[in-house]
Amino acid sequence: MKRCSLYGLTGLILIFVMFVSVPTFGADTLKIGSFLSVTGPASFLGDPELKTLQMYIDDINSKGGIDGKKIEFIHYDTKGKAQEAKKYVNRLIKKDRVDVIIGGTTSGNTLAVIDIVQNAHVPLISLAGSVKIIEPVKKWVFKTPHTDRMAAAKIYEDMKKRGISKVALITGNGGFDKSGRAQCLALAPKYGITIVADEQYGNSDTDMTTQLTKIRATDAQAILNFGFGKAPAIVTRNVRQLGIKLPLYQSHGVASKKFIELAGKAAEGVRLPAAALLVADLLPDSDPQKRVLIDYKTKYEAKYGPVSTFGGHAYDALFITLGAVKRAHSTDRAKIRDEIEKTHGFIGTGGIFNMSPKDHLGLGLDAFKMLEIRNGTWTLVD
Amino acid sequence: MLDQLLQFLISGITVGSIYALVGLGFAIIYNASDVVNFAQGEFVMIGAMSTVFLVGKEVPYPLAILCGVMITILIGFALEKFAIEPAKDASVVTTIIITIGASIFLRGAALLIWGKDIYGLPPFSGDRPISIGPATILPQNLWVIGGTLLSVIAVKFFFDHTLTGKAILACSFNKKAAYLVGINVRKMLLIAYGLSAALGAVAGILIAPITYTSYDAGVMLGLKGFCAAILGGMGSSMGAVAGGLLLGVLETLGAGFISSGYKDAIAFVIILLVLFFRPSGILGTQEADRV
């Protein structure tokens, strides 16, 4: 009994100390707020993001903080719901009075809070994919993940190098597929590419030979499949089954070992763009990103297991923020915002960031690496 | 055009065979109890997933397939014993809702056991395409078509020439009369669930080398199988088979000659039209002649 109450007392004191000590350090802390989808349908994105933020913030605090300031990290889980995202962002701004916000995990969550941060004048760095977050440019909103458009551009660039100008497009009916299809269609003229076939399939379909038979009858020089999950593996196999010899391109949606495993021998020769983090080991030592990627990968994997690009987006957002705070020598929201916008030459896991008043993402096409599957594994093409 | 048509037909018949097997499972349970078993798609998934699991545990492939089917049959029995039988006095609609609940439960259990990953099975006999004129077909497609054909013949034989099969038929016509002539109605229902589960598992395993499987693979296949059963006439097992093949071929022809974006819509419009003009399905009749 006595032991229990002793523990209880210690706990109480600890809580007391925590609550009391924070405000006293108030002026000397940087308050970072975040709202991520750690549980719910997007948990496979939000979970590594939160783990990454916590790991690095603890690490930095144990080394004395940033620019002489300790970081206070306040996090809420939106469970993937836009309504919760709005509620928590309001709380972060009004009650917790954070200096900068990192989140949300999904495009839906981010788009829901843009008006709030714009009106409250709080800098926000989103970890979501949609181009709409930063186009048109919003003064207080930034993001770190690459976009579908960049993946499409990367593919077209590679096609151009190989002298391909007629492309057959085949996509699924999911959100990722549709957005990818729209970007592929929109970008094609810019690269002098004609889309000669635009076929679609359902993501739970079991056979795509029909669509591919139609493609075979066109004069396409390459097939581009923008998809996610098992369907691209079926497409890959069906292409080989029909004896189609055209080069096959996949999107970054299948950039995982699982794809090679599922498609088996049919995957040989398939090309796809992938985030550099997935192929960190393959990069030449001269690649400026290599050290950052290996460091992040080793650190994350030592603590939590296999790394994902999503956690990498959180890494980039955190260090862009910290860089801005360091340059601003202040926790003033407006000053931090200005410095985030001036981020230049920051080497992150997603690529090299060069932000500007016109570009609140700041990634070039080098964010993606073009890969070819050879002998059952990735090979760098460029 | 003609060589395209041949390729479309090949893929249509392969896909249709699977719809037929799933639809047949629907028809058998519907016959025995007037209940539409919405967990039918989950049988497909469990058959494939447990085989994948066993193959991963180094169990020889044919044995793994056999065990996969057995496991699914046991789950079919369990579904009848623990979910359907306790509600034996409930109305048909209530029982159908129970099967929907069971399908969600089975999917959730599969998610917990096997995770969200997608799995594949190796093809039964290589993956070198066979050319038929201008079209190509995979050996596995032949397995699917052949496997379906065998299963359908076996089911037909079971209902037409065995005592148990005839007893199940008797239950479907009139439960009370069947009971009075000494047929154990509950046992027949149990067998019907086991048989449906076995058909589902066979469909799942046959198709897994072509289309892969995951914890939610049963949803769409279950829906398509249900459409096949409706299209052919609910309760007519040969109707379910015909409905399945027709659905598969219509889908691919629609995708091939009209637009792949509207593939499912084309199939569903045709189903609506059939139901509008022949509410009992293409092979269904108002009375009798079930199975």
Side-chain angles (χ1 to χ4, degrees):
Chain A
M1 259 330 258
K2 207 154 195 174
R3 240 196 155 85
C4 281
S5 60
L6 193 68
Y7 278 126
L9 196 66
T10 323
L12 271 179
I13 292 171
L14 264 176
I15 292 168
F16 183 73
V17 167
M18 263 157 59
F19 268 95
V20 176
S21 61
V22 169
T24 41
F25 283 105
D28 264 7
T29 54
L30 167 69
K31 282 191 175 184
I32 298 181
S34 89
F35 62 109
L36 301 170
S37 312
V38 182
T39 58
S43 62
F44 69 105
L45 310 167
D47 182 60
E49 289 167 357
L50 179 63
K51 281 176 176 162
T52 302
L53 290 179
Q54 271 168 342
M55 180 171 78
Y56 278 98
I57 289 173
D58 288 350
D59 198 45
I60 291 163
N61 277 340
S62 70
K63 286 176 188 156
I66 183 89
D67 198 29
K69 303 176 193 69
K70 290 264 182 198
I71 303 171
E72 191 191 340
F73 181 56
I74 302 155
H75 171 262
Y76 298 108
D77 177 10
T78 67
K79 305 182 187 75
K81 295 175 189 154
Q83 209 50 44
E84 303 265 306
K86 281 187 164 178
K87 184 175 92 186
Y88 288 132
V89 166
N90 271 319
R91 190 186 290 180
L92 283 171
I93 295 171
K94 290 182 185 139
K95 186 165 161 284
D96 302 319
R97 299 184 166 279
V98 296
D99 304 310
V100 55
I101 300 175
I102 295 176
T105 300
T106 64
S107 299
N109 276 192
T110 307
L111 293 169
V113 304
I114 282 181
D115 284 344
I116 304 176
V117 297
Q118 283 283 90
N119 291 333
H121 297 240
V122 182
L124 171 94
I125 304 186
S126 167
L127 309 180
S130 174
V131 175
K132 285 185 201 153
I133 295 167
I134 47 151
E135 269 180 29
V137 175
K138 287 126 198 135
K139 191 177 176 198
W140 296 87
V141 183
F142 303 84
K143 76 180 213 105
T144 54
H146 41 66
T147 63
D148 298 349
R149 182 181 303 172
M150 293 163 63
K154 186 80 187 178
I155 293 170
Y156 284 157
E157 206 179 59
D158 191 63
M159 286 179 172
K160 243 174 106 177
K161 269 189 225 157
R162 291 167 97 181
I164 294 166
S165 62
K166 286 177 180 149
V167 174
L169 190 61
I170 175 165
T171 51
N173 63 351
F176 176 80
D177 314 73
K178 282 185 175 157
S179 154
R181 174 176 169 266
Q183 300 299 342
C184 288
L185 290 175
L187 271 183
K190 201 177 144 199
Y191 287 84
I193 280 169
T194 328
I195 304 288
V196 293
D198 178 17
E199 295 293 327
Q200 285 167 62
Y201 55 80
N203 277 350
S204 52
D205 280 1
T206 50
D207 185 291
M208 287 72 165
T209 49
T210 311
Q211 290 89 334
L212 292 166
T213 306
K214 283 168 85 178
I215 287 176
R216 188 169 60 177
T218 65
D219 58 347
Q221 294 165 308
I223 301 173
L224 168 54
N225 177 205
F226 217 100
F228 187 71
K230 66 176 183 173
I234 299 179
V235 170
T236 307
R237 278 198 180 179
N238 285 166
V239 167
R240 303 300 178 226
Q241 179 202 333
L242 292 174
I244 299 174
K245 296 276 186 284
L246 300 176
L248 175 61
Y249 283 83
Q250 292 283 355
S251 73
H252 56 305
V254 297
S256 73
K257 286 274 172 203
K258 195 81 200 169
F259 172 74
I260 299 183
E261 191 189 314
L262 289 176
K265 270 184 284 176
E268 287 295 304
V270 170
R271 286 198 177 187
L272 68 158
L277 188 57
L278 291 177
V279 287
D281 304 327
L282 294 180
L283 295 176
D285 288 333
S286 58
D287 192 296
Q289 265 189 281
K290 180 155 183 166
R291 201 179 52 81
V292 174
L293 292 170
I294 299 276
D295 282 356
Y296 172 62
K297 201 174 156 186
T298 329
K299 202 170 158 75
Y300 187 93
E301 288 185 348
K303 199 162 179 189
Y304 301 113
V307 78
S308 78
T309 48
F310 314 112
H313 300 324
Y315 171 95
D316 296 347
L318 178 66
F319 284 94
I320 286 175
T321 308
L322 297 183
V325 171
K326 225 190 247 174
R327 291 194 300 272
H329 287 301
S330 156
T331 54
D332 181 67
R333 289 169 175 175
K335 282 183 186 155
I336 294 177
R337 190 217 80 90
D338 292 347
E339 287 302 330
I340 292 176
E341 198 168 67
K342 285 181 200 151
T343 299
H344 188 84
F346 166 72
I347 303 169
T349 65
I352 298 166
F353 290 83
N354 291 306
M355 297 210 184
S356 72
K358 278 188 193 139
D359 185 359
H360 278 190
L361 166 61
L363 280 178
L365 286 189
D366 55 353
F368 279 113
K369 308 286 169 195
M370 189 47 87
L371 305 178
E372 185 173 306
I373 298 168
R374 279 183 214 149
N375 303 320
T377 187
W378 315 113
T379 325
L380 275 174
V381 175
D382 51 11
Chain B
M1 199 62 153
L2 209 65
D3 47 328
Q4 281 194 23
L5 180 70
L6 189 62
Q7 187 70 53
F8 294 163
L9 284 178
I10 287 173
S11 62
I13 290 170
T14 312
V15 176
S17 298
I18 293 302
Y19 297 166
L21 267 189
V22 183
L24 192 55
F26 273 106
I28 289 171
I29 290 182
Y30 181 81
N31 266 332
S33 62
D34 281 342
V35 166
V36 180
N37 170 32
F38 278 104
Q40 191 63 34
E42 269 51 52
F43 290 154
V44 179
M45 176 271 293
I46 290 168
M49 288 295 260
S50 46
T51 308
V52 169
F53 174 75
L54 290 169
V55 168
K57 289 265 176 281
E58 311 274 313
V59 178
Y61 202 4
L63 188 67
I65 292 174
L66 198 68
C67 291
V69 177
M70 287 314 223
I71 291 169
T72 318
I73 293 177
L74 287 180
I75 287 172
F77 284 158
L79 174 65
E80 201 282 334
K81 200 83 194 156
F82 301 117
I84 309 296
E85 203 176 301
K88 60 180 170 228
D89 297 325
S91 68
V92 168
V93 176
T94 314
T95 320
I96 292 176
I97 292 170
I98 291 175
T99 67
I100 295 176
S103 83
I104 295 169
F105 170 77
L106 290 175
R107 215 177 307 144
L111 176 63
L112 283 179
I113 299 171
W114 294 300
K116 280 183 182 168
D117 261 355
I118 301 160
Y119 299 94
L121 279 174
F124 294 0
S125 52
D127 51 5
R128 188 178 291 277
I130 302 163
S131 302
I132 305 176
T136 50
I137 186 166
L138 286 177
Q140 192 63 31
N141 292 30
L142 295 175
W143 278 102
V144 170
I145 297 167
T148 303
L149 207 65
L150 276 181
S151 309
V152 170
I153 292 170
V155 167
K156 186 95 181 126
F157 180 83
F158 175 72
F159 281 114
D160 288 354
H161 299 284
T162 68
L163 205 58
T164 323
K166 285 180 177 167
I168 294 179
L169 270 187
C171 297
S172 78
F173 280 111
N174 191 325
K175 272 202 186 98
K176 197 161 270 174
Y179 179 72
L180 287 175
V181 296
I183 294 171
N184 185 340
V185 177
R186 296 247 62 98
K187 196 171 140 201
M188 292 307 128
L189 195 55
L190 199 64
I191 293 174
Y193 270 88
L195 192 57
S196 291
L199 285 174
V202 168
I205 296 166
L206 283 173
I207 203 168
I210 308 181
T211 68
Y212 312 113
T213 187
S214 56
Y215 79 100
D216 58 354
V219 181
M220 201 57 186
L221 284 172
L223 199 64
K224 290 285 170 69
F226 178 62
C227 289
I230 292 273
L231 192 60
M234 202 71 199
S236 152
S237 58
M238 287 312 114
V241 174
L245 288 173
L246 189 65
L247 186 63
V249 171
L250 282 177
E251 266 187 13
T252 43
L253 290 187
F257 290 122
I258 305 172
S259 159
S260 53
Y262 296 103
K263 190 181 67 115
D264 288 337
I266 293 163
F268 285 125
V269 164
I270 290 165
I271 290 171
L272 283 178
L273 287 178
V274 168
L275 290 182
F276 197 67
F277 294 107
R278 271 194 74 97
S280 50
I282 38 177
L283 287 190
T285 40
Q286 229 53 34
E287 278 290 323
D289 196 30
R290 284 168 162 178
V291 175

